[in-house]
Amino acid sequence: MENQLKRTLGVSDAVVVGLGAMVGAGVFAAFAPAARAAGGALLAALAVAAVVAYCNAHSSARLAARHPASGGTYVYGRERLGPFWGFLAGWGFVIGKTASCAAMALTVGAYVWPGREHAVAVAAVVAITAASYGGVQKSARIARLIVAAVLAVLAAVVVVCLSSGAAAPEPAGAPDWTFFGLLQGAGLLFFAFAGYARITTLGEEVRDPERTIPRAVPLALGIALLVYAAVGVAVLSVLGVEALAGSSAPLADAVRAAGAPELAPVVRVGAALAALGSLLALVLGVSRTVLAMARDGHLPRALAAVHPRHQVPHHAELAVGVVVAVLAATADLRGAIGFSSFGVLAYYAIANASAWTLDSAVKGRAVAAVGLSGCVVLACALPLASVVAGAAVLAVGGAAYGGRSRFGSGI
């Protein structure tokens, strides 16, 4: 078929794409709001987020091996649960992650040129869209360079913080925390782990997907978990929970507190690169989900076109780029972590429900049940504004689907 994508990605390419999304701006942005919510239970919240992420990753990898097509949970929900659930997953993912794209672009602008962040954000969107237009292999090579640079910066932060005289254990019992706060912190930290979805949304471009995806997803998630745990321990060791919760740039503040202020500009560069890496992975994931939805007529069918030479969904990528550029130029969506987390948790709830139908194996169903329950609990524990906004977006999508089913698509 003319609108089918070419399989070019191997295991290492898929792992890098996932890492580019996970070890991205979340490591620079998610710890502070999570610390405000979880207090002294921050590391426990990280562990809860990691368990839910593992369950989601396990279910997603099993589904991707069975249904290796672009679109991720949009495809799995459609095939396993019915068209409505697939549409709802795809709708929530596209809307939520489009907002995340704009947020990442504005994060680049805030680090590169404070005061001119909107202009820089638009330029970043144009550059990333052009890079992704050149083909998924080119995008994977760019992601590899970004991931290597960001990991080097994070390694420097961890070494400086843990080896400094400022590092000291957090005083016992301070500050206080609550179980609900722990869950809310886990929900916010889940934002940082959500990137492995990019591997499954690229399922149509992965070689030997039945073997590659189940290997790439846990590898990427495991590496990301180790990185987040190391960074979390290092930053807490010099700042403590209360200072971390009040910081707008926790990693930069941590290296200053550790006695290495000269490293702060390097951290800012690393944050900008991480946001670029996240933006690249997001554009890849959103455009492939748009492609899948356009194939089924839920979005204009012109968006299902695949470039004959570059083998990318070029109409979908350009459309996503234009929408994100407009948002980045006109709105400040850097507070979209909670909203994005709600949409992604709903997305993975549908993925786990879909995985439940694959077979009757005890392990697979147990993991799917834990993942589904965890997604629902963490979504409900998010800040009220995030829950209301996320639920409203899903309701609008459900109404649109109902209207289309009743009156016809017209597209």
Side-chain angles (χ1 to χ4, degrees):
M1 293 176 62
E2 290 184 1
N3 64 348
Q4 295 296 306
L5 301 173
K6 187 176 180 181
R7 299 191 183 279
T8 60
L9 299 177
V11 173
S12 63
D13 297 319
V15 169
V16 166
V17 169
L19 282 176
M22 283 187 284
V23 186
V27 75
F28 296 90
F31 274 114
R36 286 193 290 273
L42 178 64
L43 294 180
L46 180 65
V48 171
V51 169
V52 176
Y54 167 78
C55 294
N56 296 343
H58 184 273
S59 294
S60 297
R62 293 176 66 218
L63 288 160
R66 185 75 64 89
H67 304 285
S70 287
T73 300
Y74 165 73
V75 173
Y76 315 147
R78 182 193 67 195
E79 296 297 322
R80 311 302 307 186
L81 303 176
F84 171 75
W85 295 105
F87 172 84
L88 199 64
W91 171 264
F93 183 84
V94 168
I95 299 298
K97 289 304 182 181
T98 297
S100 292
C101 286
M104 290 303 100
L106 286 164
T107 301
V108 176
Y111 277 104
V112 172
W113 195 353
R116 295 288 185 273
E117 53 261 39
H118 288 282
V120 175
V122 172
V125 172
V126 172
I128 289 299
T129 303
S132 63
Y133 197 95
V136 72
Q137 277 287 353
K138 180 179 178 181
S139 296
R141 287 194 294 271
I142 294 171
R144 194 182 300 272
L145 294 174
I146 291 174
V147 166
V150 173
L151 288 178
V153 171
L154 294 177
V157 170
V158 171
V159 170
V160 166
C161 290
L162 293 182
S163 63
S164 75
E170 185 72 21
D176 293 334
W177 62 276
T178 65
F179 184 69
F180 182 79
L182 186 155
L183 292 178
Q184 187 173 106
L188 292 168
L189 284 169
F190 186 82
F191 170 83
F193 285 114
Y196 52 81
R198 254 42 100 235
I199 300 174
T200 59
T201 52
L202 296 171
E204 196 172 308
E205 295 163 272
V206 173
R207 297 193 304 267
D208 191 10
E210 292 80 3
R211 293 181 64 253
T212 299
I213 294 175
R215 291 171 63 191
V217 169
L219 269 174
L221 180 61
I223 295 171
L225 174 58
L226 290 175
V227 171
Y228 274 106
V231 171
V233 169
V235 172
L236 279 173
S237 71
V238 294
L239 291 181
V241 173
E242 291 183 353
L244 173 58
S247 174
S248 60
L251 270 63
D253 289 343
V255 295
R256 290 191 191 97
E262 66 280 1
L263 191 58
V266 177
V267 172
R268 294 182 68 87
V269 172
L273 285 173
L276 277 175
S278 291
L279 179 59
L280 175 60
L282 283 165
V283 168
L284 290 175
V286 173
S287 60
R288 270 59 178 180
T289 303
V290 168
L291 165 71
M293 295 181 74
R295 284 172 174 168
D296 292 341
H298 294 304
L299 293 173
R301 293 189 184 275
L303 297 176
V306 173
H307 196 283
R309 181 160 67 91
H310 297 302
Q311 290 295 301
V312 296
H314 56 303
H315 289 177
E317 288 188 343
L318 289 174
V320 171
V322 168
V323 172
V324 173
V326 170
L327 288 174
T330 58
D332 191 343
L333 297 177
R334 280 169 289 180
I337 289 179
F339 169 72
S340 179
S341 290
F342 184 91
V344 173
L345 285 164
Y347 177 88
Y348 282 117
I350 295 173
N352 282 297
S354 301
W356 176 271
T357 69
L358 285 174
D359 53 50
S360 58
V362 173
K363 179 184 177 181
R365 286 202 160 182
V367 171
V370 173
L372 174 58
S373 302
C375 286
V376 172
V377 170
L378 294 188
C380 293
L382 288 169
L384 181 61
S386 301
V387 174
V388 171
V393 166
L394 294 182
V396 169
Y401 181 89
R404 179 181 179 275
S405 299
R406 182 174 180 181
F407 301 109
S409 66
I411 56 176

Coordinates of all heavy atoms in Angstrom, one line a residue, residues 7 25 33 38 77 81 86 90 111 132 140 143 162 192 202 205 215 319 345 356 393 398-399 410:
R7 N 10.1 -0.5 7.2 CA 10.7 -1.0 8.5 C 12.3 -0.8 8.4 O 12.9 -1.5 7.6 CB 10.4 -2.4 8.7 CG 8.9 -2.7 8.8 CD 8.6 -4.1 9.3 NE 7.1 -4.3 9.4 CZ 6.4 -3.9 10.4 NH1 6.9 -3.2 11.4 NH2 5.1 -4.1 10.4
A25 N 13.2 16.4 29.0 CA 13.0 17.5 29.8 C 12.3 17.1 31.1 O 12.4 17.9 32.1 CB 12.1 18.6 29.1
P33 N 7.7 19.7 41.0 CA 6.3 19.6 41.4 C 6.0 18.3 42.1 O 5.1 18.2 43.0 CB 5.5 19.7 40.0 CG 6.6 19.4 39.0 CD 7.9 19.9 39.6
A38 N 4.7 15.1 47.0 CA 5.0 13.8 47.8 C 5.8 14.1 49.0 O 5.9 13.3 49.9 CB 5.8 12.9 46.9
G77 N -6.4 -0.6 21.0 CA -7.7 -0.4 21.5 C -8.8 -0.8 20.4 O -9.8 -1.4 20.7
L81 N -10.5 -4.0 21.7 CA -11.7 -3.5 22.5 C -12.8 -3.0 21.7 O -14.0 -2.9 22.1 CB -11.3 -2.5 23.6 CG -10.2 -2.9 24.5 CD1 -9.8 -1.7 25.4 CD2 -10.7 -4.1 25.4
G86 N -10.3 2.6 20.8 CA -9.1 3.0 20.1 C -9.1 4.5 19.8 O -8.1 5.2 19.9
G90 N -6.4 7.3 21.0 CA -5.7 8.2 20.0 C -6.0 9.7 20.2 O -5.1 10.5 20.1
Y111 N 15.3 28.1 28.3 CA 16.7 27.9 28.6 C 17.7 28.6 27.7 O 18.7 29.0 28.1 CB 17.0 26.4 28.6 CG 16.6 25.7 29.9 CD1 15.4 24.9 30.0 CD2 17.4 25.8 31.0 CE1 15.1 24.3 31.2 CE2 17.0 25.2 32.2 CZ 15.9 24.4 32.3 OH 15.5 23.8 33.5
S132 N 12.6 15.6 11.3 CA 11.7 14.4 11.2 C 11.2 14.1 9.8 O 11.0 13.0 9.4 CB 10.5 14.5 12.2 OG 9.7 15.6 11.8
A140 N 16.5 9.1 14.3 CA 17.1 8.3 15.3 C 18.5 8.6 15.5 O 19.0 8.6 16.6 CB 17.0 6.8 14.8
A143 N 18.5 11.8 17.6 CA 18.2 11.4 19.0 C 19.3 10.7 19.7 O 19.5 11.0 20.9 CB 17.0 10.4 18.9
L162 N 26.9 14.1 44.6 CA 27.2 13.0 45.6 C 28.6 13.1 46.1 O 28.9 12.5 47.2 CB 27.0 11.6 44.9 CG 25.5 11.3 44.5 CD1 25.4 9.9 44.0 CD2 24.6 11.4 45.7
A192 N 7.5 11.6 33.2 CA 8.8 11.4 32.8 C 9.1 10.1 32.2 O 10.0 9.9 31.4 CB 9.8 11.6 34.0
L202 N 5.8 3.8 16.8 CA 6.6 3.6 15.6 C 6.7 2.1 15.1 O 7.6 1.8 14.4 CB 8.1 4.1 15.8 CG 8.3 5.6 16.1 CD1 9.7 5.9 16.6 CD2 7.9 6.4 14.9
E205 N 7.6 0.9 11.7 CA 8.9 1.3 11.1 C 10.0 0.5 11.8 O 11.2 0.8 11.6 CB 9.1 2.8 11.3 CG 8.2 3.6 10.5 CD 8.1 5.0 10.9 OE1 7.3 5.3 11.8 OE2 8.8 5.8 10.3
R215 N 12.0 -6.3 23.3 CA 13.4 -6.1 23.8 C 13.6 -4.7 24.1 O 14.3 -4.3 25.1 CB 14.4 -6.7 22.9 CG 14.4 -8.2 22.7 CD 15.3 -8.7 21.6 NE 16.7 -8.4 21.9 CZ 17.7 -8.5 21.0 NH1 17.4 -8.9 19.7 NH2 18.9 -8.1 21.3
A319 N 1.4 19.0 9.5 CA 0.2 19.4 10.3 C 0.5 19.6 11.7 O 0.2 20.6 12.4 CB -1.0 18.5 10.0
L345 N -2.0 8.6 31.1 CA -2.5 7.5 32.0 C -3.8 6.9 31.5 O -4.0 5.7 31.5 CB -2.7 8.1 33.4 CG -1.4 8.3 34.2 CD1 -1.7 9.2 35.4 CD2 -0.8 7.0 34.7
W356 N -5.2 -7.3 28.4 CA -5.9 -8.3 29.2 C -6.6 -9.4 28.2 O -6.7 -10.5 28.5 CB -7.0 -7.7 30.0 CG -7.9 -8.6 30.8 CD1 -9.1 -9.2 30.3 CD2 -7.7 -9.1 32.1 NE1 -9.6 -10.0 31.3 CE2 -8.8 -10.0 32.4 CE3 -6.7 -8.9 33.1 CZ2 -8.9 -10.6 33.6 CZ3 -6.9 -9.6 34.3 CH2 -7.9 -10.4 34.5
V393 N -11.3 16.9 27.8 CA -10.8 16.6 26.5 C -11.3 15.2 26.0 O -11.7 15.0 24.9 CB -9.2 16.6 26.5 CG1 -8.7 15.9 25.3 CG2 -8.7 18.0 26.6
G398 N -15.2 11.9 22.9 CA -16.3 10.9 22.9 C -17.5 11.5 22.1 O -18.2 10.8 21.3
A399 N -17.8 12.8 22.4 CA -18.9 13.4 21.7 C -18.7 13.5 20.2 O -19.6 13.3 19.4 CB -19.2 14.8 22.3
G410 N -17.7 12.8 6.8 CA -17.6 13.9 5.9 C -16.2 14.3 5.6 O -15.9 15.4 5.0

